[in-house]
Amino acid sequence: MYLPSFSLKGKTALVTGAGRGIGRAIAIGYAEAGADVVIVSRTQSDLEETAEFIHRVGTKAYLFEADVTNKGQVEEIFETLDSEHVTVDILVNNAGMNIRSRALDVSDEEWETIMNTNLRSAFWFSQKAGERMKEAGGGKIITISSVAGHVALRTGVVYASTKAAIIQMTKNLALEWGQYGINVNSIGPWYFKTPLTEKLLADQSYLDDILAVTPQKRVGELPDLVGPAVFLASEAANYVNGQTLFVDGGMSIQGF
Ligand SMILES: NC(=O)C1=CN([C@@H]2O[C@H](COP(=O)(O)OP(=O)(O)OC[C@H]3O[C@@H](n4cnc5c(N)ncnc54)[C@H](O)[C@@H]3O)[C@@H](O)[C@H]2O)C=CC1
Ligand SMILES: C[C@H](O)[C@@H]1OC(=O)[C@H](O)[C@@H]1O
């Protein structure tokens, strides 16, 4: 038999930023693939909406209203999961944000906020999940980067730096943790319509610029991202490590 399983049945996934957008889509997609899902975000009402979808699918949802930039709250999440004997088999570091300042205008506060939200939080969650996965004999860690981590976009140098750092962090964690059966990969999306981007994508001239450099001539739909996220979380990706999968309609290969 050559076809490995794409199912997540019997697994528990933790998804940060699961209150809306890409994180909510991945959390629900993982539930549809059979996983129980630990969902983390800042807004309880958003979490409850995501949990409602998961319950309709028939798997369990564990809700944690937390700020991923607060290390104490990150530690508390894992202490609570440990006390409830919930093992995280799959971690998706999705929470992220952007402040699209020009380089000369970036304030120290903006730098801190973007770096802490997009990069430091992902490292903290990876450390906490990684030490448990090492004990458990393996696991899957997926961090959401961006094409902005691979090519220069007009959406801000600090954001781009966090997304490039995620690509390198992914390689280094894979190098250290592959021996423990842990697969560490990242996904690099191009534009997907979410609360983070909806204002930008509503501007027809901006959208025209996006489509001009996108071979598939459309922005991403959330199922376009959930499929790769399920693949990387499943047994089908057991020998994929340290990679970044760009889900971008071909944008990152666009030349002239
Ligand atoms: N939407 C897009 O076109 C693209 C998004 N991405 C990345 O995908 C990820 C998700 O983006 P979207 O769903 O579009 O964003 P979004 O803004 O729609 O959702 C982000 C989620 O993260 C949560 N979050 C933000 N800061 C948090 C914090 N400090 N503590 C806890 N939760 C926090 C928000 O509450 C929200 O639920 C981000 O890492 C983003 O950089 C990457 C490329 C393109
Ligand atoms: C493709 C980028 O990641 C996208 O561009 C933006 O302006 C948003 O901040 C997203 O990050």
Side-chain angles (χ1 to χ4, degrees):
M1 188 180 81
Y2 286 97
L3 180 65
S5 173
F6 286 78
S7 169
L8 303 182
K9 193 167 170 48
K11 302 291 184 188
T12 299
L14 187 155
V15 183
T16 67
R20 66 185 193 201
I22 289 170
R24 169 176 288 184
I26 290 176
I28 296 167
Y30 279 8
E32 289 169 337
D36 293 336
V37 196
V38 180
I39 51 179
V40 179
S41 195
R42 281 171 305 184
T43 315
Q44 185 65 18
S45 55
D46 287 352
L47 287 171
E48 284 164 5
E49 268 183 45
T50 301
E52 181 53 38
F53 284 103
I54 292 169
H55 293 147
R56 266 187 238 147
V57 168
T59 63
K60 284 190 207 139
Y62 304 87
L63 286 64
F64 287 90
E65 186 183 13
D67 177 349
V68 299
T69 66
N70 180 317
K71 189 168 188 181
Q73 293 184 21
V74 175
E75 288 168 343
E76 209 174 305
I77 290 170
F78 284 89
E79 284 158 13
T80 304
L81 292 172
D82 289 346
S83 68
E84 294 175 5
H85 307 292
V86 176
T87 304
V88 174
D89 305 294
I90 302 156
L91 167 67
V92 179
N93 295 303
N94 163 79
M97 59 87 73
N98 195 7
I99 302 166
R100 302 181 188 93
S101 300
R102 299 296 91 209
L104 290 175
D105 302 330
V106 173
S107 68
D108 290 348
E109 191 190 2
E110 283 180 4
W111 173 277
E112 288 296 318
T113 302
I114 302 168
M115 281 285 172
N116 289 340
T117 307
N118 296 7
L119 180 62
R120 198 173 196 187
S121 75
F123 185 63
W124 284 340
F125 274 90
S126 299
Q127 279 186 309
K128 291 294 172 190
E131 66 185 353
R132 288 161 176 79
M133 289 174 179
K134 178 182 173 183
E135 291 306 310
K140 307 283 186 183
I141 296 175
I142 298 153
T143 302
I144 307 299
S145 175
S146 165
V147 292
H150 183 62
V151 292
L153 302 186
R154 61 181 91 155
T155 56
V157 60
V158 183
Y159 176 87
S161 302
T162 66
K163 296 306 183 178
I166 284 168
I167 291 171
Q168 193 57 39
M169 179 182 83
T170 293
K171 295 174 191 172
N172 275 71
L173 293 182
L175 178 71
E176 287 193 39
W177 294 350
Q179 63 188 310
Y180 307 127
I182 301 170
N183 295 78
V184 188
N185 293 291
S186 85
I187 292 174
W190 182 212
Y191 273 104
F192 283 75
K193 190 174 177 193
T194 68
L196 178 73
T197 58
E198 61 190 339
K199 285 195 182 70
L200 280 176
L201 298 179
D203 174 338
Q204 189 57 50
S205 152
Y206 195 85
L207 182 59
D208 290 345
D209 288 352
I210 290 170
L211 301 181
V213 296
T214 309
Q216 288 189 233
K217 300 301 173 201
R218 68 174 175 89
V219 296
E221 302 289 337
L222 288 172
D224 294 325
L225 202 63
V226 171
V230 169
F231 161 64
L232 287 175
S234 75
E235 289 175 16
N238 276 354
Y239 203 53
V240 178
N241 226 328
Q243 304 303 310
T244 294
L245 182 54
F246 290 104
V247 184
D248 64 359
M251 179 270 182
S252 55
I253 55 89
Q254 168 90 13
F256 179 75

